[in-house]
Amino acid sequence: MKTGIFGGSFNPVHNGHIYLANTCIEQFGLDRVYLVPSKISPHRSDDEYVPEQDRLEMLKIACRGNSKLVVSSYELNAFRVSYSIYTVEHFRRKFPDDTLYLLTGGDMLMSFESWYRFEDILKNAVVCAVPRNEGERKNLVTKAERLGEYGKILVADVPPLVVSSTEIRKKIEKNENFSCYLDENVVQYIKSRELYRIKS
Ligand code: ATP
């Protein structure tokens, strides 16, 4: 099986995340993608991050109805903030015969050499990057070529879907409309739980 691993804070999960996962499924023929919300280190601000159970629940809602998207609590259940290599090693143990793919946005690929044990990540998984901004793809391809000595990196050929969780949180704070960036059931969840200090 071709199994994708996609980590993030998902605070909240938005259409850009789902677009990234679906793009990799379509362009690289993945059979499934595990979405893995990250633990947030305790010193990060509570105003910015909603409780992990809410991030997990929103992710489950956004993946509902897409049988190739699976939500994993692996990092949330770990006793400390997890490095990506530990998560990759977890899935390597879980699925020893699978080809693993680590999914990231273009911004993350650009700083990939600063990731803890990035060489080991590339020994265990194919890294897949999806552009986040217009005109970014050329730089991503150059970066992928430069990292090629360590392993395989694929760069999706799709237009970017420009959206970020930060932008959504700012819109909520300013009481601006944010519903076009998220699954409508996630919007309802945010409203009903009054997350991100939403004003009703
Ligand atoms: P924040 O604004 O809070 O930093 P974010 O929108 O960047 O959040 P994360 O959950 O931190 O989202 O990102 C998880 C992964 O998804 C990262 O690899 C990131 O590059 C990627 N990603 C996020 N948004 C997009 C997008 N619009 N297009 C492609 N990749 C994305």
Side-chain angles (χ1 to χ4, degrees):
M1 282 253 236
K2 291 181 166 190
T3 299
I5 307 164
F6 179 23
S9 49
F10 301 114
N11 181 44
V13 58
H14 54 66
N15 293 344
H17 294 127
I18 303 300
Y19 177 69
L20 183 153
N22 283 331
T23 294
C24 291
I25 288 170
E26 282 161 26
Q27 294 223 332
F28 309 130
L30 306 192
D31 296 297
R32 54 185 174 180
V33 172
Y34 281 81
L35 294 96
V36 192
S38 56
K39 227 178 170 56
I40 306 298
S41 57
H43 58 262
R44 297 296 287 265
S45 136
D46 279 355
D47 282 355
E48 198 185 342
Y49 286 95
V50 299
E52 34 187 62
Q53 280 314 316
D54 287 320
R55 287 189 292 123
L56 182 67
E57 192 54 36
M58 289 189 282
L59 201 47
K60 286 182 180 167
I61 293 171
C63 294
R64 216 186 268 159
N66 186 335
S67 60
K68 292 193 171 180
L69 303 184
V70 191
V71 178
S72 162
S73 303
Y74 170 72
E75 291 193 11
L76 295 181
N77 292 338
F79 67 98
R80 60 173 172 186
V81 176
S82 180
Y83 288 109
S84 297
I85 181 63
Y86 298 158
T87 306
V88 169
E89 285 172 341
H90 163 75
F91 281 98
R92 172 50 64 230
R93 283 190 297 273
K94 198 173 156 79
F95 305 121
D97 300 327
D98 283 14
T99 307
L100 299 180
Y101 294 75
L102 184 70
L103 279 43
T104 78
D107 54 325
M108 303 300 279
L109 181 67
M110 292 315 283
S111 60
F112 191 70
E113 283 137 303
S114 68
W115 290 28
Y116 179 58
R117 293 174 50 201
F118 76 93
E119 301 97 325
D120 291 331
I121 295 178
L122 279 165
K123 275 183 201 147
N124 283 284
V126 177
V127 170
C128 304
V130 174
R132 281 192 81 159
N133 296 300
E134 211 61 62
E136 187 189 33
R137 189 169 188 275
K138 197 165 155 281
N139 294 341
L140 294 175
V141 171
T142 306
K143 183 78 180 180
E145 282 166 4
R146 218 176 290 149
L147 285 167
E149 63 176 295
Y150 300 103
K152 192 167 170 185
I153 294 149
L154 303 171
V155 180
D157 192 0
V158 286
L161 185 67
V162 184
V163 53
S164 71
S165 298
T166 305
E167 190 191 348
I168 292 165
R169 291 195 302 271
K170 280 188 186 151
K171 282 192 180 292
I172 296 177
E173 201 179 317
K174 287 194 267 177
N175 209 13
E176 289 174 7
N177 192 310
F178 62 97
S179 54
C180 60
Y181 304 105
L182 289 88
D183 180 292
E184 61 179 296
N185 293 311
V186 173
V187 174
Q188 285 316 316
Y189 186 89
I190 290 173
K191 289 183 177 168
S192 68
R193 305 266 304 169
E194 299 185 352
L195 302 180
Y196 306 106
R197 304 193 157 190
I198 191 167
K199 298 175 191 73
S200 43

